[in-house]
Amino acid sequence: MERRTFLRGAVIGASAAAFGGTLMPGAAYAAPAQPGSGPYGALGAADANGIQLPAGFTSRVIARSGRQVGSTGYTWHNAPDGGACFADGTGWIYVSNSEINPGGGVSAVKFGATGAITGAYRILSNTRQNCAGGRTPWNTWLSCEEVSLGAVYETDPFGAKAAVRRDALGKFKHEAAAADPVRKVIYLTEDESDGCLYRFVPTTWGDLSAGQLQVLVAGTATSGSFSWANVPDPDGSPATTRTQVSGAKHFNGGEGCHYANDTVWFTTKGDNRLWQLNLANNTYELAYDDSLVSGGNAPLTGVDNVTGASSGDLYVAEDGGNMEICVITPDDVVAPFLRINGQSGSEITGPAFSPDGKRLYFSSQRGTTGSSSGGITYEVTGPFRA
């Protein structure tokens, strides 16, 4: 997928920006034909779950923190965060982190071919503040600890193998991970105000027990070329990994990370930005910056988790704001795809598509209560673009 940079150096009208639209580099912001329409049309009234969706889409609650998942007998974890889906025969599995400390860990929900819940279970326990992570091409889930000197745990979504801590991926305040099967590396974000972007080069692809942790080296501008440099001490002690390499580029609160077609997309919450790493030519640039939207009416704020669809669309979850998941199309349309009402004390986490691309899973981490014990995990079904 090729995508041009947008929202850079433009003068954007607040009335249009409130609804989403398209932007050519250096051009005025143009509203879509129908306010808020985007590729799926305007959001409708809130449904019984308090979720506003475009026409043709429906939502259901999959799990609630502290309550049994369906009739499985398994109690869903508090503070659901990052997640991913895995094919499982004719069905699939959705895994979800628990961002509590202590306790943490990961739970999984199994679905049959029709979408019925057939099981739920724990795949990682007794870790700390498991925030985001990433799936691997060999069908494991990397669960990341968002704490100082946090680790990455490789887990089995199917529940057959014990989780393994992967120290070679470094000890730092981990956020998300994204696998690149072309270059055979794993990209990692760091949730610090002066955090870095890393990649891990395994000695053997498919085996994360050994390899080299590297950090992105670049200038201070918002675009340019980059290179990778080895991190001398991935253990992060006594010197933190982000301070060991001169010239390492620092980002303001690394969050979600997604790889697709020679591109890495990652978000930074401290400045509400989406970054684009062009791996084919080793350049980086801003893909979205809400500070360039005049009037404080950016269509996307509080950027957090990000995932992609087979259509090339990106789905970016908001941490707070008006609790939306926004869609960004390959044509640079930015518009809300859904909005959760009555949960302003929460954040949206863990967006992930089922293997057939027809269902989107995500959570409201603190739900209507504003507490980690109030988490709600949802499923949205509808005519997603192929």
Side-chain angles (χ1 to χ4, degrees):
M1 172 180 64
E2 295 217 3
R3 184 189 299 267
R4 64 181 179 275
T5 302
F6 57 96
L7 297 188
R8 185 180 64 192
V11 178
I12 303 171
S15 61
F19 305 120
T22 61
L23 181 69
M24 303 289 284
Y29 191 88
Q34 182 181 8
S37 61
Y40 292 109
L43 300 183
D47 64 12
N49 297 318
I51 299 180
Q52 293 179 249
L53 292 161
F57 290 87
T58 58
S59 76
R60 67 165 171 160
V61 173
I62 297 302
R64 294 180 183 270
S65 295
R67 300 189 191 180
Q68 181 179 236
V69 180
S71 58
T72 64
Y74 179 78
T75 301
W76 199 236
H77 55 267
N78 288 347
D81 207 285
C85 282
F86 298 82
D88 180 33
T90 58
W92 59 93
I93 296 168
Y94 177 68
V95 300
S96 171
N97 283 347
S98 176
E99 195 186 12
I100 59 172
N101 184 14
V106 185
S107 296
V109 181
K110 289 188 67 171
F111 300 88
T114 65
I117 295 173
T118 60
Y121 46 91
R122 175 69 62 148
I123 61 173
L124 176 66
S125 299
N126 301 319
T127 51
R128 305 169 297 163
Q129 204 160 320
N130 297 76
C131 195
R135 59 168 296 160
T136 68
W138 49 93
N139 290 322
T140 61
W141 166 247
L142 303 179
S143 182
C144 300
E145 290 184 314
E146 189 196 5
V147 294
S148 179
L149 298 180
V152 176
Y153 289 80
E154 187 170 15
T155 67
D156 176 18
F158 308 94
K161 299 178 181 178
V164 180
R165 192 177 69 196
R166 296 303 190 189
D167 291 340
L169 275 69
K171 295 288 189 67
F172 55 87
K173 200 173 183 181
H174 283 277
E175 182 69 31
D180 176 353
V182 177
R183 290 152 199 87
K184 299 182 178 179
V185 300
I186 306 289
Y187 302 98
L188 302 156
T189 55
E190 181 178 24
D191 192 358
E192 299 274 11
S193 60
D194 60 344
C196 292
L197 182 71
Y198 303 88
R199 76 173 185 181
F200 177 69
V201 186
T203 302
T204 302
W205 184 235
D207 179 356
L208 302 181
S209 62
Q212 179 64 59
L213 183 69
Q214 300 180 325
V215 66
L216 185 137
V217 174
T220 58
T222 55
S223 64
S225 59
F226 69 85
S227 60
W228 299 98
N230 292 342
V231 175
D233 182 11
D235 286 343
S237 179
T240 60
T241 54
R242 65 185 183 278
T243 60
Q244 293 180 26
V245 175
S246 176
K249 184 168 180 62
H250 296 281
F251 296 93
N252 192 352
E255 288 286 333
C257 191
H258 175 68
Y259 168 86
N261 300 321
D262 293 331
T263 304
V264 176
W265 309 93
F266 66 98
T267 61
T268 50
K269 67 181 181 183
D271 46 20
N272 278 315
R273 288 172 167 176
L274 172 68
W275 297 83
Q276 174 180 341
L277 218 64
N278 303 299
L279 302 170
N281 59 11
N282 285 343
T283 61
Y284 71 94
E285 55 192 322
L286 277 179
Y288 178 84
D289 184 348
D290 79 338
S291 70
L292 297 179
V293 182
S294 63
N297 290 311
L300 170 62
T301 60
V303 298
D304 203 311
N305 290 173
V306 57
T307 193
S310 59
S311 60
D313 295 331
L314 295 178
Y315 288 77
V316 185
E318 290 186 338
D319 181 349
N322 55 357
M323 287 287 287
E324 292 179 342
I325 293 180
C326 287
V327 60
I328 302 177
T329 74
D331 297 326
D332 300 340
V333 173
V334 187
F337 168 71
L338 66 79
R339 181 181 302 133
I340 303 177
N341 290 284
Q343 301 186 31
S344 59
S346 187
E347 62 185 274
I348 299 179
T349 59
F353 281 95
S354 59
D356 62 7
K358 296 179 180 179
R359 301 166 192 254
L360 175 65
Y361 296 92
F362 60 93
S363 295
S364 172
Q365 189 181 81
R366 296 177 293 280
T368 58
T369 68
S371 166
S372 63
S373 62
I376 310 171
T377 299
Y378 299 95
E379 173 195 85
V380 166
T381 304
F384 287 102
R385 306 197 313 167

